[in-house]
């Protein structure tokens, strides 16, 4: 059955990129020179070092490793993608003629645009919001999963809309100190949380992969801290 | 050899408690009624459910589990503690006659106070800062480790001062949305990070324990994203 999945590389302090440049909030062409790039490069290095990632980009080399297996598995599981507009804008040129997705991609944007066909990948621009993009991706995914390609903003929207079934974090062992946090601005109530269940952990020297099944909203409650079991006479 | 260690329960979005009450920043007596408690209770529930934690508090019950083994191991490894003043203030009354530390505790504070002796645990108040508290704890720890008992503010100070050798996070599978982040305000430079190395991962149904060895400050750098291995002719 088709699941809606997301996966993201984050630092140990929860950032998926460095901080946004307040001077250039919408210009993605100089993204590589901006403050987001160093943190993004650090947290995603494990993937760039993996053979399966490099193969998808058309690059040789890389390591055959548990990390590479996870990249391969992640690409293989996705029958269609949803993607945020900033990620598309940042990727359109560098991805070139053969973007790494090899599946239909639905880009959530406010700007209508005709379908863009690339070798193996199509980009359809959806102006009716993330829910509609997920719906279209689901119809296109066949028996495979719908994967949230990123960025973080779209992932948060899909999560808080209750549309996400599975989340995998690739936790890079680094503290960035400053950057965009994947889980900032979730807009939950004061005593509300989102519960998940750990489904799989894969250890690797350079990153820890933790996959969660998303349970959903729940109330945070106090407990008696074990005091109901207090030993008499101590 | 004595290591300086810290361990902390955090949510998947990196919070160790709910948000601070801006109305009562220094009054710890009503902490349980404030906004910090629900998040703190949620992220530490795995420990409260563990037999070894309850034993230390003088409570019966709890589960014998991998989580309990980790609690027992954590207590056994610590020969002395350093502790922040807010944590001490919040704990002084609830810990009662026999606090769970069973070792000398060095409390970092601006307020001088005579040593407080409890059954098995002493509290020494150190007004010369975290570095001095670590030094005193090291002298008191014998062959065991110096453990940062918390809270988060002291942990950050010890970490950014380069004094921390090992960090273990107990990652509870919940998003709090709002709260105090363990790694907020590290004050690193724009292209600086703190590197760590995963040393051990223990999976458990309700929490993921990840232990890191702290390597230290490093520069964040860009890379060629694998392009040096580009396949000719593709």
């Amino acid at each position: 059955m088709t699941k809606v999945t997301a996966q993201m590389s984050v630092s140990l302090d929860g950032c998926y990129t460095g901080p946004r440049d307040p001077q250039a909030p919408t210009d993605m062409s100089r993204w590589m020179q901006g403050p987001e790039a160093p943190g993004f490069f650090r947290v995603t290095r494990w993937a760039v070092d993996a053979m399966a990632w490099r193969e998808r980009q058309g690059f040789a080399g890389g390591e055959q490793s548990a990390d590479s297996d996870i990249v391969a598995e992640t690409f293989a599981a996705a029958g269609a993608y949803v993607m945020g507009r900033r990620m598309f804008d940042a990727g359109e040129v560098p991805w070139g003629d053969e973007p790494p997705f090899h599946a239909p991609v639905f880009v959530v944007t406010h700007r209508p645009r005709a379908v863009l066909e690339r070798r193996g990948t199509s980009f359809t621009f959806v102006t009716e919001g993330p829910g509609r993009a997920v719906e279209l991706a689901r119809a296109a995914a066949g028996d495979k999963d719908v994967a949230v390609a990123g960025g973080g903003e779209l992932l948060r929207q899909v999560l808080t809309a209750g549309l996400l079934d599975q989340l995998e974090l690739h936790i890079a062992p680094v503290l960035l100190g400053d950057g965009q946090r994947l889980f900032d601005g979730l807009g939950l109530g004061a005593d509300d949380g989102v519960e998940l269940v750990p489904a799989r952990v894969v250890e690797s020297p350079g990153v820890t992969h933790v996959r969660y099944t998303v349970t959903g909203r729940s109330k945070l409650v106090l407990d008696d801290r074990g005091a109901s079991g207090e030993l008499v006479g101590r």
Side-chain angles (χ1 to χ4, degrees), chain A:
Chain A
M1 208 185 79
T2 294
K3 296 190 299 287
V4 179
T5 68
Q7 49 89 33
M8 190 73 89
S9 297
V10 293
S11 65
L12 194 53
D13 49 348
C15 301
Y16 59 102
T17 71
R20 270 205 203 186
D21 182 354
Q23 302 304 309
T26 58
D27 176 11
M28 296 304 287
S29 68
R30 291 180 48 77
W31 185 90
M32 287 270 287
Q33 287 77 46
E36 290 180 89
F40 175 78
F41 275 53
R42 175 60 191 87
V43 300
T44 56
R45 184 152 307 137
W46 71 271
V48 175
D49 290 342
M51 183 180 287
W53 187 92
R54 293 163 88 112
E55 273 176 12
R56 270 288 172 129
Q57 322 295 319
F59 298 152
E63 290 170 38
Q64 185 50 269
S65 61
D67 295 338
S68 186
D69 291 345
I70 283 191
V71 171
E73 172 195 62
T74 301
F75 277 124
Y81 292 87
V82 293
M83 183 182 289
R85 195 268 309 160
R86 283 187 91 231
M87 177 166 170
F88 173 78
D89 282 357
E92 183 175 2
V93 173
W95 288 328
D97 292 338
E98 188 178 341
F101 305 101
H102 300 189
V105 178
F106 297 86
V107 181
V108 181
T109 177
H110 295 289
R111 307 179 212 146
R113 180 171 166 180
V115 173
L116 180 68
E117 295 283 355
R118 296 285 193 232
R119 201 181 308 156
T121 299
S122 63
F123 296 94
T124 302
F125 300 88
V126 180
T127 55
E128 300 97 339
R132 178 65 178 150
V134 168
E135 193 176 288
L136 291 168
R138 202 183 272 279
D143 292 336
K144 293 190 171 186
D145 292 337
V146 170
V148 179
E153 204 171 317
L154 180 63
L155 194 159
R156 282 190 291 273
Q157 288 171 346
V158 172
L159 174 70
T160 55
L163 297 172
L164 195 65
D165 299 310
Q166 179 182 297
L167 173 65
E168 184 155 12
L169 296 183
H170 315 291
I171 305 173
V174 64
L175 299 167
L176 297 182
D178 194 11
Q180 293 174 65
R181 286 217 163 85
L182 180 55
F183 297 118
D184 245 355
L186 288 181
L188 307 177
D191 288 344
D192 288 333
V194 173
E195 292 285 336
L196 308 92
V197 177
R200 186 184 74 173
V201 181
V202 177
E203 297 182 54
S204 159
V207 62
T208 307
H209 309 276
V210 189
R211 178 183 285 180
Y212 295 94
T213 304
V214 182
T215 305
R217 296 283 180 109
S218 69
K219 286 284 165 197
L220 301 174
V221 293
L222 302 184
D223 59 55
D224 72 358
R225 304 275 89 183
S228 58
E230 189 160 12
L231 295 174
V232 179
R234 173 154 170 184

